[in-house]
Amino acid sequence: MQDTKTAPVVSTEFEKEVYSGLTDFPKHLSSKYFYDKKGDKLFQDIMAMPTYYLTDCEYEILETNKKEITELFTGFGSFDLIELGAGDGKKTKILLKEFSDKKIDFTYVPIDISDNALNQLHNSIEKELPKINIQPVQGTYFNALKKINNRKNRKIILFLGSNIGNLEHDQAVDFMTNIQKLMQPNDLLFMGFDQKKNPQTILDAYNDQEGVTAAFNKNVLARINTELNANFDLDQFLHWEVYNPETGSAKSYLVSKIEQTVRVDRLDLTVNFNQWETIHTEISQKYDDKIITWLAEQSGLKMMTEYKSQEYGYKNCVFK
Ligand code: AVI
């Protein structure tokens, strides 16, 4: 007899990725789905924690070098300041304020996957820096880059927070190559890279005692529960961080504490977990100079200059 059971309608990117990630072996889910209203707030809380040194390092770099950076950016007249993964824009505001005080002619184009983060950013810029011309674009990096491809202005592209680290090396090369292809001779790319350091410092940054990072990691399950009508019991999963000092990859997992079955109604999917089975959820790659040079070479980018933090090995590189 023919099987008349219809295949589940898996239409959005989220649905497709959750379906393939939970039916794959080993299981995986993308960290880009950490970010909804709750996830954005949790990430802001993470950035405010002293153990998450990345934010303080980049803040210090921008604050210390803002005059030199302004000269570098404004050497060729007006520009679009395009920020990929803008989030709450807290660090970028150091530059925005400097540009605004110096009456520099530019348009701020923040790009983020989260509508909620973009709305909050838009409102806060209108309040704190009302003279700034802001044109937010919602979307994933790749989709948003396509949307802005036809803009005629000179581009300065910001990719802060070591966001590049959330991509595997081959994806990072693809990503940087795509950016390079969009760049004209006077355009610049300004990127943050977290560097290899004492492995314990890295583990502490991704495994806080308060459990904020754990809640952030588990937020992908919370989203599947609410958006895809699933019944993950978040307490039955453990947040687990590993760091490999040889490769520089910090990886986050959710580990099933028990043997369990989870139902995702919207996908008509039943997912079985063995006890201690994992879901890989995030990579936060740490770099050294060799890897950064290799990434730039592979992507056809030339390093112009770099700014280093005093403590905790973190750097911002400028490419053209
Ligand atoms: C956004 N991204 C660069 C952060 C990171 O460090 O990988 C996200 C994060 N995950 C856990 N803590 C912070």
Side-chain angles (χ1 to χ4, degrees):
M1 208 175 100
Q2 217 181 332
D3 184 3
T4 51
K5 198 169 171 234
T6 47
V9 185
V10 181
S11 50
T12 66
E13 207 175 312
F14 181 49
E15 289 171 350
K16 279 184 207 150
E17 289 196 26
V18 170
Y19 191 93
S20 63
L22 291 180
T23 52
D24 208 353
F25 181 78
K27 295 180 173 60
H28 53 88
L29 291 166
S30 168
S31 62
K32 67 177 181 249
Y33 297 118
F34 289 171
Y35 303 86
D36 61 355
K37 205 169 177 180
K38 194 170 146 218
D40 291 343
K41 170 76 178 72
L42 287 165
F43 185 47
Q44 284 175 14
D45 293 345
I46 288 172
M47 288 193 291
M49 290 189 306
T51 45
Y52 193 73
Y53 58 85
L54 290 80
T55 313
D56 291 342
C57 287
E58 197 161 51
Y59 204 90
E60 176 215 305
I61 291 174
L62 296 175
E63 192 57 55
T64 313
N65 300 288
K66 62 187 175 191
K67 294 213 163 50
E68 201 185 314
I69 295 170
T70 306
E71 276 167 30
L72 188 72
F73 285 6
T74 54
F76 295 91
S78 69
F79 57 90
D80 283 344
L81 185 72
I82 298 165
E83 181 168 17
L84 304 170
D88 67 1
K90 201 172 160 195
K91 290 167 291 183
T92 318
K93 282 179 188 165
I94 298 171
L95 296 180
L96 297 178
K97 180 162 186 323
E98 185 73 10
F99 297 168
S100 180
D101 290 349
K102 297 236 161 87
K103 303 198 170 33
I104 282 160
D105 181 16
F106 76 105
T107 301
Y108 178 43
V109 186
I111 292 173
D112 207 284
I113 193 168
S114 165
D115 250 332
N116 168 62
L118 275 181
N119 287 338
Q120 281 185 16
L121 177 62
H122 199 167
N123 293 340
S124 74
I125 299 264
E126 275 180 345
K127 225 189 265 165
E128 294 164 36
L129 297 160
K131 287 188 193 130
I132 286 184
N133 181 9
I134 170 168
Q135 294 177 11
V137 179
Q138 191 275 333
T140 59
Y141 300 144
F142 288 108
N143 293 341
L145 278 172
K146 273 188 224 146
K147 281 191 210 169
I148 57 163
N149 198 9
N150 56 357
R151 294 176 75 98
K152 294 276 174 298
N153 281 352
R154 182 180 157 234
K155 290 184 280 296
I156 297 196
I157 302 168
L158 298 183
F159 196 41
L160 302 180
S162 201
N163 278 346
I164 189 74
N166 295 138
L167 301 179
E168 305 273 356
H169 285 319
D170 54 343
Q171 297 172 318
V173 168
D174 274 357
F175 178 75
M176 289 168 71
T177 305
N178 282 337
I179 294 180
Q180 192 278 334
K181 283 188 191 146
L182 290 180
M183 288 168 70
Q184 301 293 323
N186 290 330
D187 294 350
L188 296 176
L189 170 63
F190 185 90
M191 284 177 73
F193 293 92
D194 191 18
Q195 294 195 281
K196 289 181 177 177
K197 55 182 63 62
N198 184 333
Q200 193 59 54
T201 308
I202 293 172
L203 284 177
D204 293 347
Y206 292 91
N207 203 9
D208 61 283
Q209 296 306 303
E210 293 76 22
V212 185
T213 309
F216 184 55
N217 192 5
K218 289 182 187 184
N219 197 46
V220 66
L221 302 185
R223 279 193 70 178
I224 298 173
N225 278 351
T226 39
E227 293 174 38
L228 304 183
N229 203 9
N231 62 355
F232 277 102
D233 179 350
L234 272 50
D235 291 336
Q236 296 302 353
F237 287 86
L238 196 66
H239 163 70
W240 197 258
E241 190 68 24
V242 292
Y243 175 64
N244 179 338
E246 185 183 20
T247 60
S249 346
K251 288 187 174 179
S252 301
Y253 294 89
L254 291 167
V255 185
S256 178
K257 293 183 192 172
I258 53 167
E259 184 179 339
Q260 55 183 319
T261 297
V262 176
R263 181 75 198 148
V264 187
D265 274 346
R266 185 74 176 263
L267 304 180
D268 193 14
L269 178 68
T270 302
V271 192
N272 296 314
F273 288 88
N274 292 327
Q275 191 179 27
W276 309 126
E277 188 175 346
T278 52
I279 312 174
H280 174 221
T281 49
E282 188 178 51
I283 176 165
S284 301
Q285 181 66 38
K286 308 303 165 196
Y287 300 90
D288 56 27
D289 290 353
K290 265 194 189 157
I291 311 180
I292 296 175
T293 305
W294 177 80
L295 281 178
E297 274 171 13
Q298 293 294 308
S299 321
L301 289 159
K302 278 192 196 63
M303 167 101 79
M304 278 184 76
T305 187
E306 60 178 31
Y307 303 94
K308 290 180 187 163
S309 65
Q310 297 281 340
E311 246 190 298
Y312 293 125
Y314 186 96
K315 64 160 77 167
N316 286 90
C317 300
V318 185
F319 302 103
K320 62 179 203 174

